[in-house]
Amino acid sequence: MTYRNKRIIMNNIIMTLSTISAFIGLGFLFWILGVLVFNGIEALNLAIFINEGAPPGYEQSGLKHALVGQLLIVLYATAIGVPLGVMAGTYLSEYGQGSKLAETIRDISDIMMSAPSIVIGAFVYAIIVIPMGHFSGYAGAAALAIIMIPIILRTTDDMLQLVPSTLREAAFALGAPKYKVIIQVVYRGAKAGVLTGILLGIARVAGETAPLLFTSFNDNFMNTDMSEAMASLTVTMYNYATSPYEDWQRLGWAAAFILSMFILGLNIIGRLFLLRKRGK
Amino acid sequence: MSVVIDKVFALSTKIIALLVLLIVAWIFTVLLQHSMESINAFGFDFLTETKWAPNLEKFGALPAITGSVISTFLAMLLAVPIAIGVAIFLSEIAHHRLKAPVGVSIELLAAIPSVVYGMWGLFYFVPIIRDLFGGLGIGMLTAGIVLAIMILPFMAAVTRDAMDTTPDILKESAYALGATKWDVVKDIIVPYAKAGIIGSLILALGRAIGETMAVTFVMGNVHKISTDLTAPATSIPVTLANEFTEADTDLYFSSLFELSLILLVISFTIISIAKFYFLRRKRSL
């Protein structure tokens, strides 16, 4: 009886501690989310989307330059990262079954997925910024693309493998060449999953700051020339938040809010895609 | 015709897959190349020298390395018990109607950019630390705590995933024998999913040590090893973020590249241990 009591008391203690720690953890996280939403909405107004950066204290300041810069950098990164990631993932899933090479690529790519992003920034600095002689939007896009490739590769690989091999065999039996089987059968079957992977990949790199600090650097004015230094929401956020000026700090929160909502939105859309697919 | 296209398609996917390996090798080579000047100038002393004085052309990485180790250690110390608590809560305690929403919101929080955690730390957490311990409020302790909060969602989510690999039938058998929830956790889930849980925690450690933005705001970037946890300090990523655009001499740059290389090697090693030793992916095909 006492042994039983001891077990029950122990159970109650541990379960209470677990629940408390869950609430502590969630409490902190919702505190941060609350701060983000509260400060973000308070700082948000139409002028932010219309005006460019301005010196502190100047009323007409906004984030248009950073929004446009962020969009361009992520767009270019996506244009480079997605095709490369999908093709490499296709190789692993469709051509590399059981091969040592595919296994190695899969492992190394998995490790790269968690590698420090600031190191990627240093690498791109060395191969693009130094030869060009100055910071550029291209360098930022290249850094983000390098971070994106392993993510897209992994999800493509996983999602293509979920396509039943009977589908492939049926297509082969009809005499279709392998590339046609992949493009018309496998890709079609894995569409929702691959698309989700792409959305999550974009969401992941859109929030990256460290690799942009010394690649695309920053610019306080509107610039659509990718070969020049370019503002991004993340770097702007960092610069404005660490500045002593209150109006800049407010803009920093607005940038944080806009970016976080964009990223959360992509994540939610990606999840819905998968859910709908599973529901079918 | 379609034979040719078939060959071209196969070959191009292979070349692009190889490109991934090439990029990784390229990263190591380029970082090493740019570190050579610093390696030649300081040799192994770089790792043990405590002085980082750009104006004297003297660079030692020990304060940054120590800072990375201590801040990450602090973060793990705080985050691991809470993450395990959250994971137990999600897998065994929470009502099934609560499980999905709480689980998904934790995963979504893991997606919030780390720069936001850093901003929160700077504006809301630094004042609290300042009031509690005096000083600037910026330093190792603050960085450790903010890093812990930042890594918590990721850590909790992967730990829960690892715990959830335990087959329900095992857990149900134990419950049928009269086991309490804690009995199930310690005698069924932990033995079954041990490798996965440890691997997940190490993976989170690998991410935490390379995390830049959550700590850059609150660390202070002071190259000094101090026994006072509330004093400003630095870590490898913090040094890189603060000084890369300020470096003005070749040796300074080279030292920063060597720091990047050290960071990459450390995190590569940690993540490899997690992946290869604990989290071997089981291929179903």
Side-chain angles (χ1 to χ4, degrees), chain A residues 175-224:
Chain A
K178 190 154 188 174
Y179 81 94
K180 263 203 174 135
V181 175
I182 294 173
I183 293 172
Q184 297 189 350
V185 177
V186 181
Y187 279 170
R188 200 170 280 178
K191 201 167 57 188
V194 173
L195 210 61
T196 300
I198 293 173
L199 288 180
L200 295 184
I202 295 174
R204 166 80 193 278
V205 300
E208 285 289 353
T209 315
L212 296 182
L213 286 174
F214 29 85
T215 52
S216 58
F217 197 56
N218 201 9
D219 186 347
N220 217 4
F221 301 101
M222 186 71 179
N223 169 31
T224 50

Side-chain angles (χ1 to χ4, degrees), chain A residues 79-146:
Chain A
I80 305 166
V82 168
L84 294 183
V86 169
M87 288 292 268
T90 306
Y91 174 76
L92 296 191
S93 159
E94 303 303 311
Y95 294 98
Q97 291 107 328
S99 90
K100 198 106 193 125
L101 176 70
E103 203 53 49
T104 313
I105 294 174
R106 191 174 281 137
D107 286 337
I108 298 287
S109 161
D110 253 12
I111 295 175
M112 280 316 285
M113 211 155 64
S114 297
S117 56
I118 193 157
V119 171
I120 310 288
F123 166 68
V124 172
Y125 183 90
I127 60 157
I128 299 184
V129 178
I130 294 180
M132 272 181 90
H134 55 84
F135 301 109
S136 70
Y138 288 127
L144 294 190
I146 293 175

Side-chain angles (χ1 to χ4, degrees), chain A residues 41-59:
Chain A
I41 289 183
E42 199 190 51
L44 217 55
N45 57 47
L46 196 62
I48 281 177
F49 297 95
I50 299 170
N51 294 319
E52 296 173 28
Y58 190 74
E59 259 175 41

Side-chain angles (χ1 to χ4, degrees), chain A residues 159-183:
Chain A
M159 291 303 158
L160 296 191
Q161 298 208 16
L162 286 180
V163 176
S165 43
T166 45
L167 275 183
R168 294 187 184 90
E169 284 155 17
F172 280 131
L174 293 173
K178 190 154 188 174
Y179 81 94
K180 263 203 174 135
V181 175
I182 294 173
I183 293 172

Side-chain angles (χ1 to χ4, degrees), chain B residues 111-156:
Chain B
I112 299 251
S114 57
V115 61
V116 174
Y117 287 87
M119 254 174 106
W120 168 84
L122 179 64
F123 288 112
Y124 290 85
F125 205 67
V126 167
I128 295 176
I129 296 289
R130 190 161 49 211
D131 292 344
L132 284 176
F133 299 100
L136 290 168
I138 286 176
M140 200 70 94
L141 181 66
T142 322
I145 297 174
V146 174
L147 192 56
I149 296 169
M150 189 253 139
I151 200 71
L152 181 65
F154 175 76
M155 200 189 268

